[in-house]
C-alpha cells in the first residue's frame, strides 16, 4: 500500500442480493472508469463476495473487503468465516470492531484484537473502527474513550502489524443518524488518534497509518471532511448503497 493514499470504503452491511450487488458494482465501475485518485474498497455481505470478486478482476483499483471475520483459522464455529476464507475469495480488507458488532454481538476488545491479528496473518488489511457514544461526546469524555479502545486492541503490536491497519474513526452518534461530525470535530479526533498512536507506537506508525472518518458521510459533506489534514479517507455506510452517491463521494477526493 502506498503511504496514506486516500481510501474510500463502502460498508454495505446486510444489504444487496447477489444480483443487486452485481448491478451496483457494474454501475460503479462505469462511473469510476477513468478515476484513479484513491483506493476504493467495497464490503458486500458474505453471500456476494465471490461474484463481486469476479467483477472486480477488471478494475484492480477497486478492491474487495469483508464486513467481519472469526479469529480462529478453522473448525467448529457454525456460521462463521475465517480470515483465510476471505483471502481465498479475493478480499484484501476486512472491517473489525464496527460499533454494530460491538453493540449487537457483544464483541469485546480482546476478541477484536484476536480478529485483527488473524486478519493480518492471512494477508488482509483490517479496517479497525473506534468511536465514542453520544454521552461520551457530550460529556467531553471522547478522548478517554478513544484512548482506551485504541490501547486495548493495539497496545503492544509491532509496527509490522500496525502498518497493515486502516484506522476508522466512527463516532457512534453519527452512524446511520444523518448527524455527521463537523469537519473540525473529525479533524480534532483524527489528530488525537494520531497523537495517541505516536505515544504508543512512535512517529513512523503515527504518521504512516491511514485514518478514515465514518458516520453519515454524503456527497455533500465528503469533500470538506476529506480536506482535513489528518483524514485519509472515509468509511461510508448508507451512501455506499447507491452507485451515484458512492461514486460522487469517491470523486470528491482531490
Ligand atoms: C458505517 O456503518 O460504517 C457508517 C459509517 O454508516 P453511515 O455512513 O450510514 O453512517
Amino acid at each position: 500500500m502506498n503511504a496514506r493514499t486516500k481510501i474510500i470504503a463502502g460498508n454495505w452491511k446486510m444489504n444487496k442480493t447477489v444480483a443487486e450487488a452485481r448491478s451496483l458494482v457494474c454501475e460503479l465501475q462505469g462511473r469510476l472508469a477513468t478515476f484513479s485518485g484513491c483506493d476504493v474498497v467495497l464490503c458486500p455481505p458474505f453471500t456476494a463476495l465471490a461474484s463481486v470478486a469476479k467483477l472486480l478482476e477488471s478494475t484492480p483499483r477497486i478492491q474487495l473487503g469483508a464486513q467481519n471475520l472469526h479469529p480462529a483459522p478453522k473448525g467448529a464455529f457454525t456460521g462463521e468465516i475465517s480470515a483465510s476464507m476471505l483471502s481465498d475469495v479475493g478480499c484484501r480488507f476486512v472491517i473489525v470492531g464496527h460499533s454494530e458488532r460491538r453493540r449487537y454481538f457483544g464483541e469485546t476488545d480482546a476478541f477484536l484484537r484476536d480478529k485483527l491479528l488473524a486478519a493480518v496473518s492471512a494477508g488482509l488489511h483490517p479496517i479497525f473502527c473506534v468511536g465514542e457514544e453520544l454521552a461520551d461526546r457530550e460529556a467531553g469524555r471522547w478522548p478517554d474513550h478513544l484512548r482506551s479502545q485504541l490501547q486495548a486492541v493495539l497496545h503492544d503490536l509491532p509496527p509490522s502489524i500496525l502498518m497493515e491497519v486502516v484506522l476508522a474513526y466512527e463516532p457512534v452518534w453519527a452512524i446511520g443518524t444523518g448527524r455527521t461530525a463537523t469537519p473540525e470535530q473529525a479533524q480534532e479526533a483524527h489528530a488525537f488518534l494520531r497523537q495517541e498512536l505516536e505515544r504508543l507506537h512512535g512517529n513512523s506508525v503515527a504518521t504512516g497509518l491511514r485514518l478514515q472518518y465514518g458516520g453519515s458521510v454524503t456527497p455533500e459533506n465528503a469533500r470538506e471532511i476529506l480536506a482535513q489534514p489528518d483524514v485519509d479517507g472515509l468509511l461510508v455506510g448508507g451512501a455506499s448503497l447507491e452507485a451515484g452517491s458512492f461514486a460522487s463521494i469517491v470523486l470528491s477526493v482531490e
Side-chain angles (χ1 to χ4, degrees), residues 11 13 98 100 170 174-177 214-217 235-239:
N11 173 13
K13 310 195 187 189
H98 193 281
E100 288 155 12
E170 294 215 308
I175 296 180
T177 59
S216 296
V217 171
L235 179 53
V236 185

Side-chain angles (χ1 to χ4, degrees), residues 20-228:
E20 289 166 347
R22 290 176 60 83
S23 115
L24 174 52
V25 171
C26 291
E27 196 180 336
L28 273 174
Q29 287 175 313
R31 289 176 183 260
L32 299 176
T34 57
F35 180 76
S36 60
C38 70
D39 291 335
V40 178
V41 181
L42 304 181
C43 302
F46 288 139
T47 47
L49 286 174
S51 42
V52 170
K54 188 88 199 127
L55 290 172
L56 294 184
E57 280 170 8
S58 61
T59 47
R61 196 74 204 236
I62 307 181
Q63 299 180 58
L64 188 64
Q67 298 173 22
N68 188 27
L69 81 162
H70 191 278
K74 62 175 163 177
F77 298 97
T78 302
E80 295 295 322
I81 307 278
S82 73
S84 61
M85 290 169 174
L86 296 178
S87 158
D88 180 52
V89 82
C91 289
R92 302 279 321 282
F93 291 82
V94 61
I95 300 172
V96 172
H98 193 281
S99 62
E100 288 155 12
R101 302 281 331 163
R102 293 178 191 257
R103 178 187 283 177
Y104 303 134
F105 302 95
E107 296 193 353
T108 61
D109 290 327
F111 191 52
L112 297 177
R113 182 178 160 91
D114 289 347
K115 286 187 182 209
L116 186 138
L117 292 172
V120 174
S121 304
L124 298 168
H125 301 291
I127 299 179
F128 175 53
C129 305
V130 296
E132 79 284 357
E133 301 276 346
L134 185 58
D136 288 320
R137 166 62 54 177
E138 288 181 340
R141 291 188 300 262
W142 62 268
D144 303 329
H145 186 86
L146 295 183
R147 179 183 295 118
S148 94
Q149 281 186 325
L150 212 58
Q151 210 159 303
V153 174
L154 304 184
H155 59 95
D156 58 354
L157 299 181
S160 57
I161 291 182
L162 290 164
M163 294 311 292
E164 301 303 317
V165 174
V166 175
L167 181 62
Y169 169 60
E170 294 215 308
V172 180
W173 48 270
I175 296 180
T177 59
R179 180 177 169 185
T180 324
T182 63
E184 295 72 26
Q185 286 172 322
Q187 169 54 26
E188 191 182 25
H190 283 68
F192 174 78
L193 287 170
R194 243 184 248 292
Q195 185 188 304
E196 282 302 296
L197 287 169
E198 169 140 28
R199 193 176 62 79
L200 291 171
H201 302 290
N203 184 264
S204 61
V205 168
T207 55
L209 222 68
R210 294 193 287 183
L211 268 53
Q212 287 179 315
Y213 168 80
S216 296
V217 171
T218 63
E220 290 69 40
N221 59 31
R223 188 177 298 272
E224 220 188 329
I225 297 172
L226 278 170
Q228 304 307 309

